[in-house]
């Protein structure tokens, strides 16, 4: 339904046929604005879609409070650190048995984002179950009523691409050295 001011709302209408009732002799319609319920349902659908994406992602995804409490971490944390995601939820990052360099990054990011209210990203290396691991981390501030509520950290493993990049740089340097000797 569209209101006079142009706003669209959802209405739920129920009707009862009371034509045979001599006191009413008609059809009664009851209308109710269900816009808020529809919005909440859509939000819940989107949340569960995001949850499914996160649960099946190869990226390490964490949602932290501005105090460093872990509100959410996806199961990928198990493959990198042998930590059960459910066991570290509601812990602080400093007590979750994560590598120090990662804890330091989270702490700095939380502090910076609390001040700037801006997204930030960086590359960080640390030891994991796979050996030296290099991650590209994007830290995204999440607001509720214009107040910073949580920060979403999405960490993508770039170890292999960095290894290939270094290999190419070394080969290019070797080629330059060969060219300079011939001249």
């Amino acid at each position: 339904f569209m209101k006079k001011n142009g706003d669209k709302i959802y209405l739920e209408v129920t009707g009862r046929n009371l034509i045979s009732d001599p006191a009413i002799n008609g059809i009664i319609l009851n209308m109710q604005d269900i816009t808020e319920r529809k919005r909440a349902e859509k939000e819940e659908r989107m949340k569960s879609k995001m949850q499914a994406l996160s649960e099946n992602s190869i990226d390490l995804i964490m949602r932290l409070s501005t105090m460093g409490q872990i509100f959410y971490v996806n199961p990928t944390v198990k493959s990198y650190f042998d930590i059960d995601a459910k066991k570290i939820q509601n812990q602080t990052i400093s007590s979750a048995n994560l590598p120090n360099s990662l804890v330091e990054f989270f702490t700095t990011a939380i502090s910076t984002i609390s001040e700037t209210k801006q997204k930030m990203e960086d590359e960080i290396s640390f030891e994991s179950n796979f050996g030296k691991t290099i991650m590209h981390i994007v830290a995204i501030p999440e607001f509720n009523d214009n107040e910073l509520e949580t920060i979403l950290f999405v960490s993508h493993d770039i170890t292999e691409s960095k290894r290939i990049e270094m290999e190419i740089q070394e080969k290019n340097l070797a080629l330059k050295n060969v060219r300079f000797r011939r001249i």
Side-chain angles (χ1 to χ4, degrees):
F1 181 79
M2 189 173 299
K3 295 166 74 173
K4 284 183 183 179
N5 66 3
D7 290 347
K8 292 181 182 178
I9 62 170
Y10 289 92
L11 294 176
E12 180 178 72
V13 181
T14 55
R16 290 180 47 198
N17 183 349
L18 296 174
I19 292 175
S20 60
D21 186 330
I24 297 175
N25 194 24
I27 298 174
I28 294 179
L29 298 174
N30 290 316
M31 238 181 290
Q32 176 176 313
D33 182 349
I34 60 165
T35 306
E36 184 57 30
R37 180 175 71 187
K38 286 291 209 182
R39 186 204 57 76
E41 287 171 356
K42 181 179 179 182
E43 189 175 295
E44 192 58 38
R45 276 193 314 276
M46 295 303 289
K47 191 188 290 184
S48 57
K49 285 180 184 177
M50 289 303 294
Q51 182 81 12
L53 281 172
S54 174
E55 295 290 319
N56 296 307
S57 176
I58 59 170
D59 292 338
L60 177 61
I61 300 171
M62 296 180 82
R63 176 171 281 121
L64 305 177
S65 75
T66 56
M67 302 304 287
Q69 181 182 8
I70 301 169
F71 284 145
Y72 172 79
V73 61
N74 71 340
T76 303
V77 73
K78 179 87 170 158
S79 60
Y80 280 94
F81 309 114
D82 261 340
I83 298 172
D84 185 353
K86 287 182 171 59
K87 287 185 180 175
I88 64 169
Q89 277 184 219
N90 298 318
Q91 287 188 24
T92 62
I93 51 174
S94 57
S95 65
N97 222 16
L98 297 168
N100 288 338
S101 57
L102 196 55
V103 172
E104 288 171 16
F105 175 81
F106 288 148
T107 304
T108 302
I110 289 169
S111 176
T112 302
I113 291 173
S114 293
E115 286 179 31
T116 65
K117 312 288 192 249
Q118 299 291 315
K119 171 178 105 169
M120 67 178 279
E121 53 188 292
D122 205 349
E123 290 178 8
I124 184 172
S125 64
F126 51 82
E127 287 297 318
S128 75
N129 291 341
F130 306 113
K132 182 182 177 193
T133 302
I134 305 170
M135 290 272 196
H136 177 258
I137 304 177
V138 179
I140 305 162
E142 298 178 312
F143 298 93
N144 186 13
D145 294 329
N146 290 327
E147 189 173 321
L148 181 61
E149 187 173 54
T150 56
I151 301 170
L152 182 67
F153 291 88
V154 180
S155 309
H156 183 70
D157 191 334
I158 58 171
T159 308
E160 183 62 14
S161 60
K162 284 292 185 181
R163 185 193 64 72
I164 292 168
E165 182 181 318
M166 291 300 293
E167 193 176 295
I168 290 170
Q169 286 176 356
E170 288 171 4
K171 287 182 180 180
N172 283 341
L173 185 60
L175 283 173
K176 281 182 184 178
N177 289 337
V178 169
R179 283 188 208 145
F180 285 127
R181 284 188 210 143
R182 289 185 182 167
I183 294 179

